[in-house]
Amino acid sequence: MNFKEFIKDWRVILLIVLVVGSIGAISTYGISQGLDLRGGSTIQIHLAEPVDASTMSTVTAVLDKRLNAFGVTDVTVRASGNQDVIVQIAGVKPEDVANIVGTPGKFEAKIDNQTVLVGSDITTVKPYTVTGNNWEVPFTVSSAGANKFAQIAQGKAGTPVDMYLDGNLISSPAVGADLANGVPSTDVQVSGTNQTKTAAEQEAKSLQVVLQSGALPVSVSIVGVNAVSAELGSQFKNGALIAGILALLVIAVIVFIRYRTPVLVIPIIITSLAELVLILGVASVIHWTIDLPAIAGILAAIGTGVDDQIIITDEVLKKGVATKRTATALKFKINNAFFIIFASAATLIAAMLPLAYVGITRGVTGIGVLSGFAFTTIIGILIGIFLTRPVYAKFIELLLGKDRKEEKATVRDTRTSKPSKKGKKKKGKKGRKKT
Amino acid sequence: MSMTDKILDSYKPLIIIPVIITLIALALFATNGLQQGIDLKGGSVAVLQLQQPVTTDQMTNIVQNATGVQGITVTSSSANQMTLEIPGQAADVVTLSNAIAGTATIQSFESVGPLLSSKALSQVYFALAFAFLFMSITVFIIFRNLVPSLAVIAAALCDIIIAVGGMSLFGIPLSVATVGALLMLIGYSVDTDILLTTRVLKRREGSINERALDAMKTGFTMAAAAIGSMVALYLSVRFLMPYAQILEQIAAVLIIGLIADVLATWLMNLGILRWYMEGRR
């Protein structure tokens, strides 16, 4: 075939440039991987009622502060709509997740079942101290809170102060003698003892975090957790890679059985790999996160790509009326193939749009995760129909140019012949190219 | 007249085969119902890395005692890994991790509360319905011809119903992932239907039988490539990473649907097209 002409085609050049560019982009920017591939957790928190934007920002700020207090660094807290918050934490083991955000609620302190303090009374929380097995958490409360506390705590030294989070008792330190004298004090501290120094430290730390986050203006609950360990994430990645390679091998074998020639197997595999690189390149440039649903989307796009290449190949190899001038006939056949390709791409994109829409309105939890699948499929299909498939068609077109001379003699006679078992035999019979 | 021509000319009774299978699938779905994945019905799934050999009964007992939840099931287990499904309210990951301490560690944990799941289910139906509607509109725009368009849409509907029937039969749950697979099926299904309609309806050369056989050859190659790659995915998940059940379920749904598509396209869609062309003549 005329390789020189192939390499000079503008779309071929564009494809090569973009593939090289994609590889460059991937190696420069990298590909941001979803938490399901690198290990981490996604937690969906639901608020008791819809809130306005400023309340929502208080909620996310408080949650963020709490997570940071626990020493979690790689964390994002963001609002999803006006009633949901999504927390994403990288590199934390699944069992640690609930310890960190497991009690995201509303703070209340009670003495003898009377509420003495609520979350919004607490103004600042100071660093805790641990001496031996004893711990102390000092904090300041508003003067209103201090008055209320002083009133109820008067004469009740030694009575437990029950601290609740979302109605669950989390700590019951006793009222200190200095707070039971009826004089309001804005400087308060909670202290306690635990069996070991580590345990004491832990208790102090968790109480501190609870006090800090007590200022949540609305009660919240965890409605969804999705956590994957880093080991499992990398197993997923390797598994997807192996499955992808196997799938491609199976396709290669089937294409070979059908056409009996490596000349067609190789370009189909190369085209599929080029599509993969281009999709990942786009993902790298626009910082699109590749997670498991996105991998499924890539597989779907490449799968339809293989289908389309088979359509192009068969359309061009197929026998037909030989009276038309061959160069136009070939163009005509390729146009036929592209009618089918554009039509099926349009229907698939139409089918994917509702999913993409769900993702925009819903965020990336629940069924919203499928929007990643939908977007990746759509990107893959667009790359395919505008770039890789035309190049493949050009390749097939030029491939026929070579065979034409050898089989020129058999040009007519196709109308009555039985369908050939092997499409390849018929190839080139009328595939004349211009020039 | 050759054998293939004879078969191709007796297309009318053949239309009934995919229709019957679709009706059986509908009946299966109606009587047997569909299981729901935890992302739609609420509950938790945990993948555990075992630290010592433990039977599935031992494990369900341990977790049942700790959480007080009945009906815990082990959905997959291998020498060192086990996948647990805990129904009901979103389970507490701390309780679970304490309960299995020393026996196993948690590799992955997914929990969905009832609030989230009730919203998700309605959105699943919404997404499926609109995907189907948009697909149908696009098909009408492409062909601008009532009967052929309806044939394409009917074939896609058969594929989805048969795939859902298969899910009911093999206990594959309806989940966010399998909904994705059903939508992917729409894409794979219309590919071959559009190929067939274009080749048979718009082309002039050759007899109808020749055009149909030509399209069939291409369609079978496409189906073989798609089914083959999904079987590869199914098997590699089955043997290499049994905990990635989601990928296994996607592959299984697509395999059933793609096989259904071969029947729906080449028996039903082709039959309707031929009937239509005969009537027009």
Side-chain angles (χ1 to χ4, degrees), chain A residues 223 225 227 258 314-315 318 362, chain B residues 109 111 113 123 203 218 221:
Chain A
V223 288
V225 176
R258 168 73 201 283
D314 275 5
E315 193 72 35
K318 181 190 52 61
R362 233 349 249 285
Chain B
F109 181 80
S111 194
Q123 258 157 345
R203 191 164 293 165
T218 308
T221 313

Side-chain angles (χ1 to χ4, degrees), chain A residues 332-351:
Chain A
F332 180 71
K333 286 168 161 188
I334 287 176
N335 285 343
N336 260 344
F338 271 91
F339 175 79
I340 300 170
I341 288 167
F342 280 125
S344 52
T347 47
L348 187 51
I349 289 174

Side-chain angles (χ1 to χ4, degrees), chain A residues 165-188:
Chain A
L165 206 59
D166 279 342
N168 296 318
L169 188 63
I170 45 136
S171 180
S172 290
V175 176
D178 51 337
L179 289 175
N181 57 10
V183 180
S185 163
T186 52
D187 284 311
V188 187

Side-chain angles (χ1 to χ4, degrees), chain A residues 11-68:
Chain A
R11 270 192 286 231
V12 178
I13 295 169
L14 183 63
L15 179 66
I16 293 170
V17 167
L18 288 177
V19 166
V20 171
S22 292
I23 294 171
I26 295 166
S27 48
T28 327
Y29 303 117
I31 292 167
S32 69
Q33 293 170 19
L35 290 178
D36 49 1
L37 294 182
R38 63 187 165 126
S41 307
T42 305
I43 299 130
Q44 183 161 16
I45 293 170
H46 188 71
L47 311 188
E49 70 241 28
V51 296
D52 60 26
S54 78
T55 316
M56 183 54 98
S57 74
T58 312
V59 171
T60 53
V62 166
L63 288 173
D64 195 45
K65 201 161 84 177
R66 167 185 299 203
L67 289 162
N68 284 320

Side-chain angles (χ1 to χ4, degrees), chain A residues 30-34 279-280 282-291 294 298 364 369 371-377 379:
Chain A
I31 292 167
S32 69
Q33 293 170 19
I279 296 172
L280 292 179
V282 170
S284 166
V285 170
I286 65 172
H287 299 290
W288 179 255
T289 301
I290 297 295
D291 51 11
I298 294 174
V364 288
V369 298
S371 66
F373 163 70
F375 278 127
T376 317
T377 308
I379 291 174

Side-chain angles (χ1 to χ4, degrees), chain A residues 98-127:
Chain A
N99 282 328
I100 293 166
V101 275
T103 49
K106 220 172 177 176
F107 175 76
E108 270 179 313
K110 292 181 179 180
I111 298 175
D112 291 342
N113 258 342
Q114 282 177 282
T115 304
V116 288
L117 285 177
V118 294
S120 52
D121 292 328
I122 296 165
T123 46
T124 50
V125 181
K126 295 167 189 164

